[in-house]
């Protein structure tokens, strides 16, 4: 087990770096078109098979609380960027699918956002460092997700 002071210092450094980077990215984000939270939802859906995802899975994979995700999905559906469909395998569930217009908007914003990410983040670290950072963050997330009680993880 790592020394507590080193662990806390590493956490503090990671947290402050994340906040600094997010502020810089938010400043460049085309928020007149779509919010960062809306982008996060669309991004998550585009990574799912067939660009559709159960609302419950969407809730697990975005950085919002469950009621906020439901309201945001309703707003995206009203703008016809996503559609909400009944889950054919579970009548109580809802499938959220990105529409063609939603995907077109997502791609347009993603190009701008990826350029900002590269400038704010990718230009600072080497490819080797980026791979190491991604592996470390994936390991942290996987270990913590795996350690959560079943009701907390869902």
């Amino acid at each position: 087990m790592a020394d507590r002071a080193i662990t806390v210092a590493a956490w503090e450094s990671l947290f402050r770096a994340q906040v600094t980077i997010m502020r810089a990215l938010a400043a460049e984000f085309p928020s007149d078109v779509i919010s960062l939270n809306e982008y996060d939802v669309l991004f998550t859906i585009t990574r799912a098979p067939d660009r559709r995802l159960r609302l419950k899975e969407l809730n697990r994979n975005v950085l919002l609380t469950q009621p906020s995700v439901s309201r945001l999905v309703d707003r995206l559906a009203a703008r016809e960027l996503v559609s909400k469909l009944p889950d054919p395998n579970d009548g109580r569930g809802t499938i959220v699918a990105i529409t063609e217009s939603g995907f077109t908007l997502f791609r347009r914003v993603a190009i701008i956002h990826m350029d900002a990410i590269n400038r704010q983040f990718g230009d600072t670290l080497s490819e080797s460092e980026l791979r190491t950072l991604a592996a470390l963050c994936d390991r942290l997330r996987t270990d913590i997700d795996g350690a959560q009680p079943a009701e907390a993880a869902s």
Side-chain angles (χ1 to χ4, degrees):
M1 179 178 272
D3 178 88
R4 182 181 286 190
I6 293 170
T7 301
V8 171
W11 160 249
E12 185 70 20
S13 181
L14 175 64
F15 180 72
R16 292 198 182 277
Q18 186 266 341
V19 168
T20 301
I21 292 164
M22 287 304 296
R23 285 179 180 158
L25 292 176
E28 292 189 51
F29 195 79
S31 57
D32 58 321
V33 177
I34 192 170
S35 73
L36 265 169
N37 287 337
E38 290 169 332
Y39 178 85
D40 186 26
V41 166
L42 295 180
F43 173 80
T44 302
I45 296 169
T46 62
R47 295 180 55 106
D50 299 322
R51 296 186 196 136
R52 54 185 51 228
L53 193 60
R54 287 194 70 197
L55 185 56
K56 186 176 184 176
E57 287 298 312
L58 184 59
N59 277 313
R60 283 188 190 135
N61 290 290
V62 295
L63 303 174
L64 297 167
T65 62
Q66 188 273 327
S68 296
V69 173
S70 296
R71 286 191 302 270
L72 192 141
V73 166
D74 287 342
R75 288 193 305 271
L76 290 172
R79 291 171 58 195
E80 299 182 353
L81 299 176
V82 300
S83 57
K84 292 169 59 175
L85 312 162
D87 186 339
N89 299 321
D90 178 358
R92 300 168 296 164
T94 300
I95 302 288
V96 182
I98 193 165
T99 63
E100 279 304 312
S101 60
F103 188 65
T104 299
L105 175 66
F106 167 77
R107 283 191 316 202
R108 190 178 75 194
V109 172
I111 291 167
I112 296 166
H113 191 48
M114 288 181 347
D115 287 344
I117 290 169
N118 199 51
R119 271 192 316 282
Q120 298 293 341
F121 191 70
D123 288 348
T124 303
L125 302 174
S126 70
E127 284 189 23
S128 174
E129 290 170 325
L130 289 168
R131 283 188 191 94
T132 300
L133 179 61
L136 290 169
C137 290
D138 287 344
R139 192 168 101 206
L140 284 169
R141 190 184 71 248
T142 302
D143 286 356
I144 290 169
D145 279 350
Q148 297 294 318
E151 61 275 2
S154 52

